[in-house]
């Protein structure tokens, strides 16, 4: 459950990314593909070299969705409803993978924000990504 303080920290943290969403998203994906190679099987049509147009383009889409979610923290189910359908019915992504992306995004944010990625921010991002993952996985039930 996100507290009011978590929500404030998430909005502040996203504010600090100003304009770097594509880079952040691409770095998180790149880390996921490296650290959890089976995740690559969902993207057989992608050029997997670092900084490829596809990895960057996809990073941008994922971060745009997360930024939209940060703007709709009280309404996540609705904000992510279409993506939830897509991941469950069309892409059939095994929900275990959402944790991998969450973890990789946290490392990306930590390396980028340094000391500003405080334990409080870490905890808020962790809760947020768990909430996003449970919405993306809710259609599997
Ligand atoms: C597509 C978001 C996790 C696999 C997408 C798209 C978005 C998105 C915005 C593009 C939808 C469109 O083009 O309309 C997210 C978010 C995630 C997440 C917010 C979790 C935080 C994952 C994970 C995997 C995955 C963990 C698999 C390991 C895919 C695939 C596509 C896709 C295969 C289609 C890519 C393409 O062909 O262009 N996702 N995603 N997603 N996602 Fe996710």
């Amino acid at each position: 459950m996100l507290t009011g303080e978590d929500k404030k920290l998430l909005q502040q943290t996203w504010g600090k990314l100003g304009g770097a969403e594509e880079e952040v998203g691409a770095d998180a994906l790149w880390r996921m593909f490296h650290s959890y190679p089976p995740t690559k099987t969902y993207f057989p049509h992608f050029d997997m070299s670092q900084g490829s147009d596809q990895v960057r383009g996809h990073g941008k889409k994922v971060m745009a969705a997360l930024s939209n979610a940060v703007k709709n923290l009280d309404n996540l189910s609705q904000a992510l409803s279409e993506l939830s359908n897509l991941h469950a019915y069309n892409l059939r992504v095994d929900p275990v993978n959402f944790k991998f992306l969450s973890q990789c995004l946290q490392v990306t944010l930590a390396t980028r924000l340094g000391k500003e990625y405080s334990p409080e921010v870490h905890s808020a991002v962790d809760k947020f990504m768990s909430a996003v993952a449970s919405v993306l996985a809710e259609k599997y039930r």
Side-chain angles (χ1 to χ4, degrees), residues 21-33 50 55 59 104-105 107-109 111-112:
E21 282 89 352
E22 177 174 321
E23 219 178 301
V24 168
D27 187 70
L29 285 173
W30 179 246
R31 286 176 185 275
M32 180 180 78
F33 294 146
Q50 188 170 18
V55 174
C104 291
L105 177 67
V107 175
T108 299
L109 292 174
T111 52
R112 199 170 177 93

Side-chain angles (χ1 to χ4, degrees), residues 23-82:
E23 219 178 301
V24 168
D27 187 70
L29 285 173
W30 179 246
R31 286 176 185 275
M32 180 180 78
F33 294 146
H34 259 268
S35 302
Y36 306 100
T39 58
K40 290 192 280 191
T41 57
Y42 292 99
F43 300 88
H45 50 306
F46 269 34
D47 167 5
M48 285 292 173
S49 46
Q50 188 170 18
S52 80
D53 286 350
Q54 280 169 319
V55 174
R56 292 191 69 87
H58 193 61
K60 190 173 176 177
K61 284 187 204 168
V62 171
M63 283 304 288
L66 292 176
S67 300
N68 183 48
V70 166
K71 289 188 192 124
N72 291 282
L73 291 172
D74 294 321
N75 221 345
L76 279 184
S77 273
Q78 209 178 321
L80 295 168
S81 162
E82 272 181 38

